[in-house]
Amino acid sequence: MNQHKQEQLLAFPLPHPEPLGSYSPSDVIFLLKDLSNVNLERGTEEREEAIQTGTHYSEMLPVEYQPTPEYIQLFHETLAESAEKVALAAGVVSELILHKRGKNLVLASLARAGTPIGILMKRYLMQQYGLDVPHYSISIIRGKGIDENALKYIFQQHGAEQELQFVDGWTGKGAIRQVLIQACDQFEKDYGIRLNDDLAVLADPGFCSDTYGTREDFLIPSACLNSTVSGLMSRTVLRDDLIGEHDFHGAKFYKEWLDSDLSNVFVDQVSSYFPAIAEQAKQQAQELLDSPVAISWQGLADIRSIQDHYGIEDINLVKPGVGETTRVLLRRVPWKILVDREDNPNLRHILLLAQDRGVPVEVYPNLTYSCCGIIKPRQGESE
């Protein structure tokens, strides 16, 4: 039966994707349909209203935040301060992947936050081991699942024997990991191939991944900016009138911002530290392999506590961690920001954005995360 199912997987050869994004094709290939000419953006308030009244977030796009010169300066300062730290985390997770999966490997980054991290992993494996592993960026959407056509394309190109490693930037409360687990189960039912749902991430503050570079909740500079540090790509889109049966999920390529693109600045600066951190990365990875710290979903328990404290019914309105809080401030309607302590050095850009948007900041001690962003419920305040 498995043989028949696998034949189905290869039955309809999918065409090669159009070149997209501002990264070199040697760094990543986006398995996405180009929707650059479609009007998909909605204003923040309009989009928030639509999401909270039942429209799926993947059916429209936020208007991309155009950062102020002060904020761009903060990105450069943060990158200068943290590039070596990010490089070490990328090195550690790359070493773990190599140990767990072997050399017969394909990286599948989850667009878009996973893409720059996947590029760092690909570069690390090339620099340290001479391994040129294929790297794709594919779409996964909460409530809709993973792009099966993208997975089919990868298997059609590389065969079903390759170890597919999914990659993301960081974990929040683990929602995407849950979607990935369900998607891998469904893929096995449909095609008889068991995918490994272990999600490799640079940072796992939510304690929901087995393969991570660090569990510290710090600012990964690629969370600072939207498309201008993610290959000029939008979030991914899935709408029946735009995406056909044999299409990849869609996204926009914002070519008009090429002059202000910092995507390659980020990956170039971080990967320049790989020679300096390689030995430490090997050592830390070995320590994690020798004494693994189990998945506890500790971050999710924090979120339940916040829900109870503030009377928030919908868990999706609570966005934990530096990366997710940044996204709340950039493209949602924030109600308030919770921080573990006011002097946390990881929160400079969060405090700057909150001040910029007039969002109150409250100290919430003993958080697993550095901070949480709470989206304003449509019916008014929750207190």
Side-chain angles (χ1 to χ4, degrees):
M1 188 175 80
N2 278 9
Q3 185 64 36
H4 173 66
K5 285 184 175 181
Q6 289 187 26
E7 284 170 4
Q8 280 184 300
L9 189 70
L10 306 172
F12 184 88
L14 291 158
H16 294 303
E18 300 172 59
L20 284 174
S22 61
Y23 294 119
S24 163
S26 63
D27 276 327
V28 63
I29 293 169
F30 287 95
L31 299 184
L32 294 166
K33 181 179 180 178
D34 187 3
L35 300 178
S36 300
N37 297 322
V38 183
N39 178 22
L40 291 162
E41 288 78 7
R42 300 289 177 270
T44 306
E45 297 279 352
E46 180 189 351
R47 185 169 174 271
E48 194 63 58
E49 172 84 11
I51 288 172
Q52 292 195 40
T53 52
T55 301
H56 197 277
Y57 71 87
S58 68
E59 295 181 17
M60 56 197 164
L61 290 172
V63 176
E64 285 278 315
Y65 171 78
Q66 287 303 291
T68 62
E70 184 184 16
Y71 194 73
I72 292 287
Q73 180 62 30
L74 180 63
F75 166 79
H76 286 293
E77 288 172 11
T78 304
L79 181 57
E81 289 166 9
S82 66
E84 188 169 5
K85 190 175 182 177
V86 173
L88 177 58
V92 170
V93 73
S94 300
E95 292 285 350
L96 290 174
I97 287 169
L98 189 60
H99 180 88
K100 292 180 178 186
R101 310 280 171 258
K103 296 180 178 180
N104 197 23
L105 185 68
V106 175
L107 297 176
S109 293
L110 304 182
R112 64 186 169 176
T115 310
I117 308 309
I119 290 172
L120 292 175
M121 292 180 190
K122 177 180 169 69
R123 288 187 178 188
Y124 181 90
L125 292 170
M126 176 56 109
Q127 283 187 31
Q128 295 303 311
Y129 295 98
L131 278 179
D132 188 10
V133 300
H135 176 216
Y136 298 96
S137 182
I138 71 175
S139 169
I140 190 169
I141 294 172
R142 182 166 46 80
K144 295 197 175 183
I146 203 161
D147 184 348
E148 285 203 352
N149 283 333
L151 294 177
K152 286 180 186 178
Y153 179 85
I154 292 171
F155 284 118
Q156 287 174 7
Q157 296 303 308
H158 303 284
E161 296 74 36
Q162 294 281 94
E163 277 277 352
L164 193 58
Q165 176 66 62
F166 295 105
V167 174
D168 208 355
W170 56 86
T171 60
K173 49 185 176 281
I176 288 298
R177 175 80 204 286
Q178 298 280 14
V179 175
L180 183 61
I181 290 168
Q182 293 162 10
C184 290
D185 288 344
Q186 189 60 50
F187 199 78
E188 185 175 24
K189 283 178 192 168
D190 290 346
Y191 303 106
I193 294 175
R194 180 67 210 172
L195 301 173
N196 195 321
D197 61 41
D198 178 35
L199 181 60
V201 291
L202 194 75
D204 178 38
F207 286 73
C208 44
S209 171
D210 271 322
T211 306
Y212 56 89
T214 179
R215 277 184 165 149
E216 183 186 348
D217 186 19
F218 73 102
L219 173 61
I220 301 166
S222 57
C224 262
L225 305 169
N226 281 335
S227 64
T228 44
V229 77
S230 304
L232 294 181
M233 298 299 292
S234 74
R235 297 198 64 181
T236 59
V237 174
L238 185 56
R239 220 170 71 190
D240 290 345
D241 60 327
L242 298 171
I243 307 301
E245 183 185 354
H246 300 297
D247 287 336
F248 300 127
H249 291 186
K252 284 192 165 190
F253 173 24
Y254 295 114
K255 298 186 193 73
E256 62 270 27
W257 294 333
L258 276 165
D259 289 346
S260 55
D261 185 33
L262 295 165
S263 305
N264 289 292
V265 170
F266 171 67
V267 290
D268 288 348
Q269 194 156 332
V270 172
S271 55
S272 72
Y273 283 94
F274 286 158
I277 59 82
E279 285 311 310
Q280 192 181 351
K282 291 183 176 77
Q283 182 184 338
Q284 286 191 17
Q286 193 58 53
E287 287 168 5
L288 287 170
L289 289 165
D290 292 341
S291 307
V293 182
I295 290 174
S296 66
W297 303 92
Q298 186 180 330
L300 194 54
D302 267 18
I303 305 312
R304 303 288 187 206
S305 162
I306 289 167
Q307 279 187 272
D308 290 344
H309 184 84
Y310 290 102
I312 299 165
E313 290 183 19
D314 184 356
I315 195 172
N316 293 318
L317 297 181
V318 184
K319 302 291 186 182
V322 173
E324 296 306 305
T325 303
T326 302
R327 291 171 162 192
V328 168
L329 285 161
L330 291 180
R331 61 183 187 226
R332 301 297 294 269
V333 179
W335 179 42
K336 59 182 68 184
I337 304 300
L338 308 182
V339 299
D340 62 346
R341 62 183 208 272
E342 287 180 332
D343 61 347
N344 185 332
N346 293 325
L347 298 179
R348 282 175 57 215
H349 82 295
I350 295 285
L351 299 177
L352 183 68
L353 273 176
Q355 183 181 12
D356 200 32
R357 294 202 59 185
V359 181
V361 175
E362 292 182 18
V363 176
Y364 193 93
N366 303 315
L367 272 176
T368 305
Y369 309 92
S370 292
C371 57
C372 273
I374 304 182
I375 295 166
K376 187 171 179 119
R378 199 174 136 263
Q379 302 305 329
E381 296 202 348
S382 293
E383 287 182 325

